[in-house]
Amino acid sequence: MIDSVHLEDVSCPLGCPKNDEFVLSGRDLLHDLPGTFTIVKCRTCSLMRTNPRPTPETIGFYYPDDYGPYLGTRVQQTGPKRTSGIKKLLKPVVKRLFNFNTEALPPLSPGRLLEVGCASGAFLHRMAGQGWQVEGIEFSDKAALAATRLGYYVHAGPLETAPEPRQPFDLIVGWMVLEHLHDPIGGLQKLCEWAKPGACLALSVPNAGSLEFRLFKEKLYALHLPNHLYHFTPETLRQVLEAGGWALENIHHQRLLSNLLASTGYVLRDRGYTRLGQKLIDFPKRAGKWHFALYPLAWLLSAFGQTGRMTIWARKQA
């Protein structure tokens, strides 16, 4: 029940004087769970955060078992797929033509990989198939169990309680996870300690500096209150990475319009266009080939840094 959720007031993690400005208030639109939450912006460094926010001990209320990322990363254990020769030939061509930047990785030879927020293990499974030695960290016990059943070592719990690895990592990834951490700088510092000299970090986060954020505000699909505790722009993300021991090297703006269409759906639903609004809200779950049809427009918006998500590469500072 909501009575069991406790809120905490936190200062800017970059150590700035407390001098915040109000940005917006919103609620959980993904599961329609109770509570209204406020986003504030530090006037010194411009980092935005949800404040007050659920404590680490009680935020699990907003992560039910049917939470989208848990379900969307399950690996179906089926027999080997039969693929036609034409499809095998076309696959690398399509991959080159349609680069969505959702899980863009730096060019590295297979080594040791850690995924923070591995959910049910789909990315771990794919990378293991490419020769990587993989491990994961996952907040949800149920999702972590699904990944463990695939044969991978996964720590079930938050990053803060994860034990030190037996060997350091060559690559650490986190897809839409940094914004969920109560202590992103402490988490990045911990990951830096676990990384080899010169190791790479690949992260994806919503882009609070995009047109979508300014246009949709509390109806933004990627706002995801209160689960998203921080709301990064390219510049504030760079500051947080540096404080955590990482140097930002590349920003890849994702070439997808899922957030844009789903946010439009929230607006239409609130204006009485219930059926059309719900169809657009559900678009990210079943977009399929529509991603390819919308790719030219997504590519154009990404060229100006105006899509709603970004994937970054960083390197461990010497």
Side-chain angles (χ1 to χ4, degrees):
M1 297 295 294
I2 190 65
D3 292 340
S4 65
V5 175
H6 302 292
L7 302 181
E8 60 182 6
D9 187 289
V10 293
S11 301
C12 176
L14 289 168
C16 302
K18 191 157 188 179
N19 185 23
D20 301 324
E21 63 178 275
F22 172 85
V23 177
L24 60 85
S25 289
R27 60 185 183 85
D28 172 35
L29 298 177
L30 194 63
H31 297 101
D32 201 27
L33 294 171
T36 300
F37 301 91
T38 298
I39 295 176
V40 298
K41 179 180 178 180
C42 174
R43 285 192 172 96
T44 302
C45 69
S46 298
L47 178 61
M48 288 182 275
R49 66 189 190 278
T50 302
N51 194 58
R53 68 191 190 185
T55 61
E57 296 78 19
T58 62
I59 199 168
F61 175 82
Y62 292 97
Y63 289 93
D65 286 341
D66 62 348
Y67 182 62
Y70 299 158
L71 302 179
T73 56
R74 289 178 300 187
V75 176
Q76 302 299 324
Q77 297 286 37
T78 58
K81 289 184 179 179
R82 299 184 67 180
T83 307
S84 69
I86 294 176
K87 283 187 177 180
K88 285 182 180 178
L89 288 171
L90 287 177
K91 192 173 181 180
V93 176
V94 171
K95 200 171 181 181
R96 271 176 169 263
L97 287 174
F98 297 95
N99 181 7
F100 295 104
N101 285 336
T102 51
E103 293 176 350
L105 293 173
L108 296 173
S109 300
R112 284 182 47 75
L113 178 147
L114 172 69
E115 183 182 8
V116 183
C118 66
S120 300
F123 181 80
L124 289 181
H125 194 61
R126 188 167 84 244
M127 296 302 287
Q130 296 176 19
W132 288 83
Q133 301 172 49
V134 301
E135 295 183 18
I137 296 173
E138 175 48 51
F139 178 78
S140 162
D141 289 341
K142 191 171 182 179
L145 179 61
T148 302
R149 283 175 174 163
L150 296 171
Y152 309 122
Y153 173 76
V154 175
H155 167 74
L159 173 60
E160 291 82 358
T161 65
E164 187 175 345
R166 292 161 293 178
Q167 298 177 51
F169 296 101
D170 301 280
L171 174 63
I172 299 173
V173 303
W175 308 127
M176 296 295 162
V177 67
L178 188 68
E179 66 275 15
H180 293 257
L181 299 183
H182 280 76
D183 180 12
I185 293 175
L188 287 167
Q189 289 171 341
K190 189 172 189 177
L191 295 176
C192 193
E193 292 171 3
W194 293 352
K196 291 180 181 178
C200 292
L201 176 73
L203 299 173
S204 62
V205 295
N207 182 5
S210 69
L211 177 64
E212 289 179 17
F213 187 91
R214 299 190 296 274
L215 183 64
F216 291 104
K217 298 179 181 177
E218 74 277 3
K219 300 301 180 188
L220 181 68
Y221 182 77
L223 197 64
H224 200 170
L225 293 173
N227 306 61
H228 288 185
L229 305 176
Y230 292 91
H231 311 272
F232 300 105
T233 66
E235 174 55 26
T236 58
L237 181 57
R238 181 192 62 77
Q239 294 178 65
V240 168
L241 286 166
E242 287 183 356
W246 299 89
L248 178 63
E249 291 195 336
N250 296 91
I251 297 178
H252 307 270
H253 292 282
Q254 295 187 13
R255 296 163 180 164
L256 293 171
L257 297 182
S258 299
N259 287 358
L260 179 65
L261 292 173
S263 301
T264 302
Y266 283 138
V267 173
L268 291 175
R269 188 178 65 178
D270 285 357
R271 293 183 179 179
Y273 301 96
T274 308
R275 290 185 63 186
L276 176 58
Q278 193 59 50
K279 281 187 176 181
L280 291 177
I281 292 167
D282 292 338
F283 179 83
K285 301 178 199 172
R286 53 172 188 245
K289 294 178 181 178
W290 277 104
H291 285 316
F292 298 97
L294 295 169
Y295 185 80
L297 178 57
W299 185 95
L300 182 64
L301 289 173
S302 75
F304 291 94
Q306 293 304 319
T307 50
R309 301 183 180 202
M310 52 187 171
T311 300
I312 66 94
W313 296 348
R315 194 171 295 272
K316 179 175 178 176
Q317 295 178 359

